[in-house]
């Protein structure tokens, strides 16, 4: 399913950053309904593979990739000051998730497991 390409583009200051956020969306076998929720929240979305999606806004851009089993993997770039906002969005979506934030040396600096 192709979703509309809406929402703000990733802030240019973050374009060259390495991935600093990773996570798992538990119990989600398909990334499409998750991408649709992001679009309804004002984010942009595009297909990134047969079953994966890239969703983003000015402060975050992540890939949503389903894996064998009941989970969707998430990885990408988030403004570290907005890490909690990303978690709040998953809470609003009613998702069970694990999120990890890494610094520029790939050291885990924050983890959320609600």
């Amino acid at each position: 399913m192709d979703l509309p390409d809406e929402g703000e583009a990733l802030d240019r200051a973050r374009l060259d950053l390495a991935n600093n956020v990773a996570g798992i969306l538990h119990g989600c076998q398909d990334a499409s309904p998750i991408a649709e929720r992001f679009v309804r929240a004002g984010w942009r979305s595009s297909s990134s593979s047969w079953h994966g999606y890239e969703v983003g806004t000015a402060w975050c851009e992540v890939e949503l990739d389903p894996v064998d089993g009941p989970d969707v993997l998430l990885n990408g770039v988030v403004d570290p000051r907005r890490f909690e906002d990303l978690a709040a969005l998953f809470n609003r979506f009613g998702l069970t998730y694990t999120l990890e934030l890494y610094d520029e040396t790939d050291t885990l600096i924050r983890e959320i497991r609600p």
Side-chain angles (χ1 to χ4, degrees):
M1 162 183 274
D2 244 354
L3 299 174
D5 186 8
E6 299 177 355
E8 298 178 56
L10 185 65
D11 183 8
R12 295 196 58 78
R14 280 174 259 305
L15 285 176
D16 294 327
L17 293 179
N19 287 359
N20 68 347
V21 66
I24 301 172
L25 305 176
H26 304 285
C28 302
Q29 295 182 4
D30 186 359
S32 180
I34 300 165
E36 289 174 13
R37 290 177 185 169
F38 275 97
V39 169
R40 286 194 301 268
W43 290 46
R44 61 184 161 68
S45 174
S46 62
S47 178
S48 61
S49 68
W50 285 104
H51 302 287
Y53 289 86
E54 180 179 277
V55 296
T57 192
W59 53 269
C60 182
E61 186 171 277
V62 295
E63 295 275 340
L64 304 172
D65 291 309
V67 294
D68 290 338
D71 298 328
V72 169
L73 299 181
L74 169 150
N75 70 80
V77 177
V78 65
D79 179 335
R81 299 169 298 184
R82 305 289 304 264
F83 183 67
E84 297 273 340
D85 295 334
L86 183 59
L89 195 60
F90 291 133
N91 289 332
R92 192 171 99 201
F93 293 165
L95 298 174
T96 303
Y97 62 92
T98 302
L99 277 180
E100 299 173 342
L101 179 66
Y102 295 86
D103 68 12
E104 59 279 348
T105 65
D106 292 330
T107 301
L108 178 64
I109 56 174
R110 184 82 202 283
E111 183 175 29
I112 299 176
R113 292 177 179 258

